[in-house]
mmCIF file of all heavy atoms in Angstrom:
data_model
loop_
_atom_site.group_PDB
_atom_site.id
_atom_site.type_symbol
_atom_site.label_atom_id
_atom_site.label_comp_id
_atom_site.label_asym_id
_atom_site.label_seq_id
_atom_site.Cartn_x
_atom_site.Cartn_y
_atom_site.Cartn_z
ATOM 1 N N MET A 147 19.091 9.534 1.520
ATOM 2 C CA MET A 147 17.913 10.028 0.966
ATOM 3 C C MET A 147 17.457 9.442 -0.362
ATOM 4 O O MET A 147 16.285 9.278 -0.500
ATOM 5 C CB MET A 147 17.919 11.578 0.893
ATOM 6 C CG MET A 147 17.861 12.248 2.291
ATOM 7 S SD MET A 147 16.393 11.554 3.090
ATOM 8 C CE MET A 147 16.028 12.857 4.176
ATOM 9 N N PRO A 148 18.311 9.179 -1.227
ATOM 10 C CA PRO A 148 17.806 8.597 -2.542
ATOM 11 C C PRO A 148 17.126 7.248 -2.344
ATOM 12 O O PRO A 148 16.097 6.981 -3.008
ATOM 13 C CB PRO A 148 19.079 8.398 -3.386
ATOM 14 C CG PRO A 148 20.047 9.459 -2.902
ATOM 15 C CD PRO A 148 19.715 9.580 -1.441
ATOM 16 N N GLY A 149 17.616 6.441 -1.429
ATOM 17 C CA GLY A 149 16.936 5.183 -1.094
ATOM 18 C C GLY A 149 15.541 5.361 -0.495
ATOM 19 O O GLY A 149 14.605 4.692 -0.810
ATOM 20 N N ALA A 150 15.499 6.347 0.452
ATOM 21 C CA ALA A 150 14.152 6.620 1.064
ATOM 22 C C ALA A 150 13.170 7.217 0.018
ATOM 23 O O ALA A 150 11.972 6.746 0.009
ATOM 24 C CB ALA A 150 14.361 7.695 2.221
ATOM 25 N N PHE A 151 13.653 8.078 -0.881
ATOM 26 C CA PHE A 151 12.812 8.581 -1.898
ATOM 27 C C PHE A 151 12.337 7.513 -2.892
ATOM 28 O O PHE A 151 11.171 7.444 -3.304
ATOM 29 C CB PHE A 151 13.431 9.706 -2.619
ATOM 30 C CG PHE A 151 13.467 10.952 -1.844
ATOM 31 C CD1 PHE A 151 14.653 11.740 -1.774
ATOM 32 C CD2 PHE A 151 12.396 11.455 -1.205
ATOM 33 C CE1 PHE A 151 14.716 12.878 -1.094
ATOM 34 C CE2 PHE A 151 12.458 12.651 -0.423
ATOM 35 C CZ PHE A 151 13.614 13.349 -0.420
ATOM 36 N N LEU A 152 13.281 6.603 -3.287
ATOM 37 C CA LEU A 152 12.918 5.532 -4.167
ATOM 38 C C LEU A 152 11.932 4.572 -3.580
ATOM 39 O O LEU A 152 10.922 4.224 -4.242
ATOM 40 C CB LEU A 152 14.189 4.777 -4.631
ATOM 41 C CG LEU A 152 14.011 3.623 -5.500
ATOM 42 C CD1 LEU A 152 13.521 4.140 -6.832
ATOM 43 C CD2 LEU A 152 15.249 2.870 -5.718
ATOM 44 N N ALA A 153 12.111 4.215 -2.291
ATOM 45 C CA ALA A 153 11.183 3.256 -1.652
ATOM 46 C C ALA A 153 9.753 3.908 -1.506
ATOM 47 O O ALA A 153 8.738 3.338 -1.781
ATOM 48 C CB ALA A 153 11.726 2.907 -0.271
ATOM 49 N N THR A 154 9.799 5.253 -1.172
ATOM 50 C CA THR A 154 8.545 5.915 -1.021
ATOM 51 C C THR A 154 7.830 6.049 -2.356
ATOM 52 O O THR A 154 6.648 5.858 -2.470
ATOM 53 C CB THR A 154 8.735 7.386 -0.519
ATOM 54 O OG1 THR A 154 9.404 7.264 0.817
ATOM 55 C CG2 THR A 154 7.457 8.186 -0.296
ATOM 56 N N PHE A 155 8.573 6.415 -3.429
ATOM 57 C CA PHE A 155 7.990 6.508 -4.771
ATOM 58 C C PHE A 155 7.388 5.174 -5.230
ATOM 59 O O PHE A 155 6.276 5.154 -5.807
ATOM 60 C CB PHE A 155 9.081 6.960 -5.747
ATOM 61 C CG PHE A 155 8.558 7.076 -7.135
ATOM 62 C CD1 PHE A 155 7.736 8.045 -7.548
ATOM 63 C CD2 PHE A 155 8.934 6.049 -8.067
ATOM 64 C CE1 PHE A 155 7.252 8.133 -8.866
ATOM 65 C CE2 PHE A 155 8.378 6.085 -9.361
ATOM 66 C CZ PHE A 155 7.560 7.134 -9.751
ATOM 67 N N LEU A 156 8.081 4.082 -4.929
ATOM 68 C CA LEU A 156 7.537 2.716 -5.364
ATOM 69 C C LEU A 156 6.185 2.402 -4.687
ATOM 70 O O LEU A 156 5.189 2.045 -5.275
ATOM 71 C CB LEU A 156 8.586 1.662 -5.063
ATOM 72 C CG LEU A 156 9.823 1.668 -5.962
ATOM 73 C CD1 LEU A 156 10.805 0.613 -5.493
ATOM 74 C CD2 LEU A 156 9.397 1.354 -7.423
ATOM 75 N N VAL A 157 6.193 2.711 -3.349
ATOM 76 C CA VAL A 157 4.946 2.372 -2.620
ATOM 77 C C VAL A 157 3.754 3.295 -3.004
ATOM 78 O O VAL A 157 2.684 2.873 -3.223
ATOM 79 C CB VAL A 157 5.259 2.441 -1.166
ATOM 80 C CG1 VAL A 157 3.982 2.253 -0.331
ATOM 81 C CG2 VAL A 157 6.229 1.319 -0.717
ATOM 82 N N VAL A 158 4.113 4.595 -3.103
ATOM 83 C CA VAL A 158 2.962 5.551 -3.448
ATOM 84 C C VAL A 158 2.542 5.270 -4.867
ATOM 85 O O VAL A 158 1.324 5.359 -5.164
ATOM 86 C CB VAL A 158 3.487 6.999 -3.237
ATOM 87 C CG1 VAL A 158 2.478 7.975 -3.779
ATOM 88 C CG2 VAL A 158 3.674 7.175 -1.760
ATOM 89 N N SER A 159 3.414 4.902 -5.745
ATOM 90 C CA SER A 159 3.021 4.566 -7.163
ATOM 91 C C SER A 159 2.128 3.418 -7.175
ATOM 92 O O SER A 159 1.132 3.244 -7.976
ATOM 93 C CB SER A 159 4.275 4.281 -7.989
ATOM 94 O OG SER A 159 5.061 5.469 -8.076
ATOM 95 N N ALA A 160 2.460 2.380 -6.324
ATOM 96 C CA ALA A 160 1.563 1.162 -6.309
ATOM 97 C C ALA A 160 0.182 1.560 -5.804
ATOM 98 O O ALA A 160 -0.778 1.060 -6.431
ATOM 99 C CB ALA A 160 2.262 0.131 -5.366
ATOM 100 N N TRP A 161 0.114 2.307 -4.724
ATOM 101 C CA TRP A 161 -1.223 2.746 -4.284
ATOM 102 C C TRP A 161 -1.925 3.547 -5.342
ATOM 103 O O TRP A 161 -3.127 3.354 -5.543
ATOM 104 C CB TRP A 161 -1.112 3.545 -3.003
ATOM 105 C CG TRP A 161 -0.916 2.826 -1.766
ATOM 106 C CD1 TRP A 161 0.134 2.858 -0.915
ATOM 107 C CD2 TRP A 161 -1.873 1.947 -1.140
ATOM 108 N NE1 TRP A 161 -0.039 2.061 0.142
ATOM 109 C CE2 TRP A 161 -1.258 1.442 0.058
ATOM 110 C CE3 TRP A 161 -3.176 1.507 -1.503
ATOM 111 C CZ2 TRP A 161 -1.931 0.564 0.862
ATOM 112 C CZ3 TRP A 161 -3.813 0.540 -0.680
ATOM 113 C CH2 TRP A 161 -3.186 0.126 0.482
ATOM 114 N N GLY A 162 -1.205 4.445 -6.022
ATOM 115 C CA GLY A 162 -1.814 5.312 -7.106
ATOM 116 C C GLY A 162 -2.276 4.408 -8.229
ATOM 117 O O GLY A 162 -3.347 4.703 -8.786
ATOM 118 N N TYR A 163 -1.560 3.375 -8.571
ATOM 119 C CA TYR A 163 -1.945 2.454 -9.604
ATOM 120 C C TYR A 163 -3.316 1.805 -9.255
ATOM 121 O O TYR A 163 -4.214 1.682 -10.097
ATOM 122 C CB TYR A 163 -0.933 1.440 -9.899
ATOM 123 C CG TYR A 163 -1.321 0.341 -10.840
ATOM 124 C CD1 TYR A 163 -1.370 0.603 -12.225
ATOM 125 C CD2 TYR A 163 -1.703 -0.886 -10.375
ATOM 126 C CE1 TYR A 163 -1.870 -0.378 -13.044
ATOM 127 C CE2 TYR A 163 -2.142 -1.898 -11.241
ATOM 128 C CZ TYR A 163 -2.184 -1.651 -12.571
ATOM 129 O OH TYR A 163 -2.591 -2.627 -13.462
ATOM 130 N N PHE A 164 -3.352 1.279 -8.004
ATOM 131 C CA PHE A 164 -4.552 0.598 -7.604
ATOM 132 C C PHE A 164 -5.795 1.576 -7.590
ATOM 133 O O PHE A 164 -6.880 1.099 -7.874
ATOM 134 C CB PHE A 164 -4.400 -0.064 -6.281
ATOM 135 C CG PHE A 164 -3.634 -1.396 -6.361
ATOM 136 C CD1 PHE A 164 -2.452 -1.443 -5.744
ATOM 137 C CD2 PHE A 164 -4.113 -2.426 -7.104
ATOM 138 C CE1 PHE A 164 -1.645 -2.656 -5.868
ATOM 139 C CE2 PHE A 164 -3.395 -3.595 -7.167
ATOM 140 C CZ PHE A 164 -2.199 -3.700 -6.528
ATOM 141 N N ILE A 165 -5.543 2.759 -7.090
ATOM 142 C CA ILE A 165 -6.643 3.768 -7.111
ATOM 143 C C ILE A 165 -7.084 4.217 -8.443
ATOM 144 O O ILE A 165 -8.268 4.210 -8.740
ATOM 145 C CB ILE A 165 -6.222 5.000 -6.210
ATOM 146 C CG1 ILE A 165 -6.135 4.551 -4.742
ATOM 147 C CG2 ILE A 165 -7.195 6.115 -6.430
ATOM 148 C CD1 ILE A 165 -5.571 5.607 -3.870
ATOM 149 N N TRP A 166 -6.116 4.404 -9.391
ATOM 150 C CA TRP A 166 -6.353 4.860 -10.697
ATOM 151 C C TRP A 166 -7.091 3.787 -11.590
ATOM 152 O O TRP A 166 -8.041 4.069 -12.228
ATOM 153 C CB TRP A 166 -5.131 5.256 -11.437
ATOM 154 C CG TRP A 166 -5.318 5.831 -12.843
ATOM 155 C CD1 TRP A 166 -5.146 5.117 -13.911
ATOM 156 C CD2 TRP A 166 -5.722 7.110 -13.182
ATOM 157 N NE1 TRP A 166 -5.434 5.883 -15.019
ATOM 158 C CE2 TRP A 166 -5.747 7.144 -14.532
ATOM 159 C CE3 TRP A 166 -5.956 8.242 -12.425
ATOM 160 C CZ2 TRP A 166 -6.114 8.357 -15.208
ATOM 161 C CZ3 TRP A 166 -6.303 9.406 -13.143
ATOM 162 C CH2 TRP A 166 -6.372 9.368 -14.513
ATOM 163 N N THR A 167 -6.633 2.533 -11.507
ATOM 164 C CA THR A 167 -7.171 1.486 -12.350
ATOM 165 C C THR A 167 -8.232 0.687 -11.653
ATOM 166 O O THR A 167 -9.001 -0.070 -12.322
ATOM 167 C CB THR A 167 -6.138 0.592 -12.876
ATOM 168 O OG1 THR A 167 -5.501 -0.067 -11.778
ATOM 169 C CG2 THR A 167 -5.061 1.304 -13.723
ATOM 170 N N GLY A 168 -8.232 0.590 -10.420
ATOM 171 C CA GLY A 168 -9.122 -0.275 -9.679
ATOM 172 C C GLY A 168 -10.415 0.156 -9.250
ATOM 173 O O GLY A 168 -10.769 1.384 -9.296
ATOM 174 N N ASN A 169 -11.177 -0.743 -8.790
ATOM 175 C CA ASN A 169 -12.394 -0.461 -8.035
ATOM 176 C C ASN A 169 -12.239 -0.981 -6.643
ATOM 177 O O ASN A 169 -11.120 -1.362 -6.232
ATOM 178 C CB ASN A 169 -13.597 -1.092 -8.798
ATOM 179 C CG ASN A 169 -13.365 -2.568 -8.981
ATOM 180 O OD1 ASN A 169 -12.505 -3.188 -8.360
ATOM 181 N ND2 ASN A 169 -14.202 -3.170 -9.819
ATOM 182 N N ILE A 170 -13.294 -1.110 -5.888
ATOM 183 C CA ILE A 170 -13.191 -1.450 -4.535
ATOM 184 C C ILE A 170 -12.754 -2.966 -4.436
ATOM 185 O O ILE A 170 -12.136 -3.401 -3.508
ATOM 186 C CB ILE A 170 -14.516 -1.284 -3.849
ATOM 187 C CG1 ILE A 170 -14.364 -1.431 -2.244
ATOM 188 C CG2 ILE A 170 -15.591 -2.275 -4.265
ATOM 189 C CD1 ILE A 170 -13.544 -0.323 -1.703
ATOM 190 N N GLY A 171 -12.961 -3.709 -5.557
ATOM 191 C CA GLY A 171 -12.538 -5.131 -5.592
ATOM 192 C C GLY A 171 -11.032 -5.294 -5.526
ATOM 193 O O GLY A 171 -10.568 -6.316 -5.106
ATOM 194 N N SER A 172 -10.340 -4.340 -6.088
ATOM 195 C CA SER A 172 -8.840 -4.532 -6.085
ATOM 196 C C SER A 172 -8.168 -3.677 -4.966
ATOM 197 O O SER A 172 -7.116 -4.006 -4.524
ATOM 198 C CB SER A 172 -8.253 -4.019 -7.408
ATOM 199 O OG SER A 172 -8.490 -2.611 -7.611
ATOM 200 N N ILE A 173 -8.874 -2.684 -4.396
ATOM 201 C CA ILE A 173 -8.305 -1.888 -3.296
ATOM 202 C C ILE A 173 -8.586 -2.550 -1.930
ATOM 203 O O ILE A 173 -7.758 -2.570 -1.065
ATOM 204 C CB ILE A 173 -8.914 -0.462 -3.338
ATOM 205 C CG1 ILE A 173 -8.421 0.199 -4.627
ATOM 206 C CG2 ILE A 173 -8.405 0.315 -2.136
ATOM 207 C CD1 ILE A 173 -9.035 1.531 -4.826
ATOM 208 N N TRP A 174 -9.764 -3.171 -1.839
ATOM 209 C CA TRP A 174 -10.111 -3.806 -0.489
ATOM 210 C C TRP A 174 -9.110 -4.836 -0.055
ATOM 211 O O TRP A 174 -8.731 -4.881 1.108
ATOM 212 C CB TRP A 174 -11.499 -4.366 -0.611
ATOM 213 C CG TRP A 174 -12.004 -4.773 0.716
ATOM 214 C CD1 TRP A 174 -12.184 -6.036 1.174
ATOM 215 C CD2 TRP A 174 -12.388 -3.949 1.796
ATOM 216 N NE1 TRP A 174 -12.724 -6.118 2.475
ATOM 217 C CE2 TRP A 174 -12.835 -4.795 2.865
ATOM 218 C CE3 TRP A 174 -12.403 -2.566 2.024
ATOM 219 C CZ2 TRP A 174 -13.173 -4.283 4.126
ATOM 220 C CZ3 TRP A 174 -12.822 -2.102 3.294
ATOM 221 C CH2 TRP A 174 -13.252 -2.947 4.254
ATOM 222 N N PRO A 175 -8.610 -5.773 -0.915
ATOM 223 C CA PRO A 175 -7.549 -6.730 -0.470
ATOM 224 C C PRO A 175 -6.321 -6.053 -0.058
ATOM 225 O O PRO A 175 -5.649 -6.473 0.916
ATOM 226 C CB PRO A 175 -7.339 -7.639 -1.607
ATOM 227 C CG PRO A 175 -8.553 -7.527 -2.486
ATOM 228 C CD PRO A 175 -9.091 -6.137 -2.275
ATOM 229 N N MET A 176 -5.923 -4.950 -0.667
ATOM 230 C CA MET A 176 -4.728 -4.168 -0.247
ATOM 231 C C MET A 176 -4.954 -3.565 1.146
ATOM 232 O O MET A 176 -4.032 -3.573 2.006
ATOM 233 C CB MET A 176 -4.394 -3.103 -1.249
ATOM 234 C CG MET A 176 -4.009 -3.572 -2.557
ATOM 235 S SD MET A 176 -2.509 -4.586 -2.516
ATOM 236 C CE MET A 176 -1.317 -3.393 -2.033
ATOM 237 N N PHE A 177 -6.198 -3.117 1.458
ATOM 238 C CA PHE A 177 -6.551 -2.623 2.771
ATOM 239 C C PHE A 177 -6.462 -3.678 3.810
ATOM 240 O O PHE A 177 -5.874 -3.538 4.838
ATOM 241 C CB PHE A 177 -7.909 -1.982 2.732
ATOM 242 C CG PHE A 177 -8.455 -1.582 4.034
ATOM 243 C CD1 PHE A 177 -7.873 -0.465 4.721
ATOM 244 C CD2 PHE A 177 -9.424 -2.279 4.701
ATOM 245 C CE1 PHE A 177 -8.364 -0.072 5.929
ATOM 246 C CE2 PHE A 177 -9.903 -1.917 5.956
ATOM 247 C CZ PHE A 177 -9.366 -0.818 6.564
ATOM 248 N N GLY A 178 -6.886 -4.828 3.449
ATOM 249 C CA GLY A 178 -6.776 -5.993 4.401
ATOM 250 C C GLY A 178 -5.318 -6.438 4.620
ATOM 251 O O GLY A 178 -4.926 -6.733 5.743
ATOM 252 N N THR A 179 -4.532 -6.405 3.553
ATOM 253 C CA THR A 179 -3.052 -6.799 3.724
ATOM 254 C C THR A 179 -2.402 -5.714 4.571
ATOM 255 O O THR A 179 -1.629 -6.098 5.517
ATOM 256 C CB THR A 179 -2.494 -6.799 2.317
ATOM 257 O OG1 THR A 179 -3.191 -7.712 1.534
ATOM 258 C CG2 THR A 179 -0.949 -7.181 2.387
ATOM 259 N N ALA A 180 -2.647 -4.497 4.336
ATOM 260 C CA ALA A 180 -2.067 -3.404 5.176
ATOM 261 C C ALA A 180 -2.479 -3.542 6.642
ATOM 262 O O ALA A 180 -1.648 -3.350 7.594
ATOM 263 C CB ALA A 180 -2.453 -2.029 4.649
ATOM 264 N N ASN A 181 -3.674 -3.926 6.862
ATOM 265 C CA ASN A 181 -4.239 -4.069 8.264
ATOM 266 C C ASN A 181 -3.541 -5.260 8.886
ATOM 267 O O ASN A 181 -3.084 -5.141 10.092
ATOM 268 C CB ASN A 181 -5.733 -4.347 8.163
ATOM 269 C CG ASN A 181 -6.338 -4.252 9.588
ATOM 270 O OD1 ASN A 181 -5.709 -3.846 10.564
ATOM 271 N ND2 ASN A 181 -7.594 -4.756 9.681
ATOM 272 N N GLN A 182 -3.327 -6.368 8.185
ATOM 273 C CA GLN A 182 -2.632 -7.534 8.788
ATOM 274 C C GLN A 182 -1.127 -7.232 9.006
ATOM 275 O O GLN A 182 -0.595 -7.717 9.996
ATOM 276 C CB GLN A 182 -2.833 -8.757 7.894
ATOM 277 C CG GLN A 182 -4.273 -9.200 7.847
ATOM 278 C CD GLN A 182 -4.785 -9.569 9.228
ATOM 279 O OE1 GLN A 182 -4.163 -10.279 10.006
ATOM 280 N NE2 GLN A 182 -6.003 -9.033 9.492
ATOM 281 N N LEU A 183 -0.496 -6.498 8.098
ATOM 282 C CA LEU A 183 0.858 -6.110 8.376
ATOM 283 C C LEU A 183 1.048 -5.258 9.543
ATOM 284 O O LEU A 183 1.912 -5.582 10.399
ATOM 285 C CB LEU A 183 1.358 -5.314 7.093
ATOM 286 C CG LEU A 183 1.995 -6.071 5.992
ATOM 287 C CD1 LEU A 183 2.177 -5.199 4.732
ATOM 288 C CD2 LEU A 183 3.240 -6.701 6.377
ATOM 289 N N LEU A 184 0.156 -4.342 9.751
ATOM 290 C CA LEU A 184 0.142 -3.541 10.994
ATOM 291 C C LEU A 184 -0.030 -4.396 12.197
ATOM 292 O O LEU A 184 0.669 -4.134 13.175
ATOM 293 C CB LEU A 184 -0.893 -2.454 10.835
ATOM 294 C CG LEU A 184 -1.015 -1.485 11.980
ATOM 295 C CD1 LEU A 184 0.295 -0.708 12.154
ATOM 296 C CD2 LEU A 184 -2.210 -0.479 11.793
ATOM 297 N N ALA A 185 -0.934 -5.306 12.131
ATOM 298 C CA ALA A 185 -1.176 -6.197 13.349
ATOM 299 C C ALA A 185 0.083 -7.062 13.633
ATOM 300 O O ALA A 185 0.394 -7.226 14.745
ATOM 301 C CB ALA A 185 -2.449 -7.057 13.064
ATOM 302 N N GLY A 186 0.788 -7.551 12.560
ATOM 303 C CA GLY A 186 1.910 -8.344 12.762
ATOM 304 C C GLY A 186 3.052 -7.575 13.363
ATOM 305 O O GLY A 186 3.750 -7.990 14.316
ATOM 306 N N VAL A 187 3.194 -6.304 12.889
ATOM 307 C CA VAL A 187 4.323 -5.482 13.471
ATOM 308 C C VAL A 187 3.917 -5.114 14.932
ATOM 309 O O VAL A 187 4.826 -5.122 15.862
ATOM 310 C CB VAL A 187 4.448 -4.156 12.685
ATOM 311 C CG1 VAL A 187 5.347 -3.201 13.317
ATOM 312 C CG2 VAL A 187 5.094 -4.544 11.254
ATOM 313 N N ALA A 188 2.681 -4.821 15.181
ATOM 314 C CA ALA A 188 2.263 -4.508 16.626
ATOM 315 C C ALA A 188 2.513 -5.688 17.491
ATOM 316 O O ALA A 188 2.942 -5.579 18.636
ATOM 317 C CB ALA A 188 0.780 -4.147 16.614
ATOM 318 N N LEU A 189 2.187 -6.901 17.062
ATOM 319 C CA LEU A 189 2.448 -8.172 17.834
ATOM 320 C C LEU A 189 3.906 -8.326 18.064
ATOM 321 O O LEU A 189 4.326 -8.658 19.140
ATOM 322 C CB LEU A 189 1.876 -9.334 17.167
ATOM 323 C CG LEU A 189 2.111 -10.699 17.782
ATOM 324 C CD1 LEU A 189 1.387 -10.717 19.174
ATOM 325 C CD2 LEU A 189 1.684 -11.834 16.945
ATOM 326 N N ALA A 190 4.781 -8.096 17.023
ATOM 327 C CA ALA A 190 6.200 -8.245 17.242
ATOM 328 C C ALA A 190 6.731 -7.215 18.216
ATOM 329 O O ALA A 190 7.594 -7.540 19.082
ATOM 330 C CB ALA A 190 6.908 -8.113 15.865
ATOM 331 N N ILE A 191 6.279 -5.973 18.133
ATOM 332 C CA ILE A 191 6.783 -4.927 19.086
ATOM 333 C C ILE A 191 6.250 -5.281 20.481
ATOM 334 O O ILE A 191 7.093 -5.090 21.469
ATOM 335 C CB ILE A 191 6.276 -3.552 18.635
ATOM 336 C CG1 ILE A 191 7.051 -3.146 17.331
ATOM 337 C CG2 ILE A 191 6.534 -2.464 19.691
ATOM 338 C CD1 ILE A 191 6.561 -1.956 16.675
#
């Protein structure tokens, strides 16, 4: 569980940072990256 909590905290903190400091210009590429990651995993599965 400490590893799962640490990994979750890091990812949620990164999203929070982009939302807190960013505008759509910094959040939109992250959305595109997440979309491509999801497509890659779906293709692999």
Side-chain angles (χ1 to χ4, degrees):
M147 284 307 204
F151 285 134
L152 179 64
T154 302
F155 177 75
L156 289 174
V157 172
V158 172
S159 297
W161 278 116
Y163 172 77
F164 283 115
I165 291 171
W166 181 262
T167 62
N169 55 13
I170 194 69
S172 64
I173 296 172
W174 189 253
M176 294 298 292
F177 173 71
T179 302
N181 192 13
Q182 293 303 311
L183 271 170
L184 180 63
V187 169
L189 178 64
I191 290 172

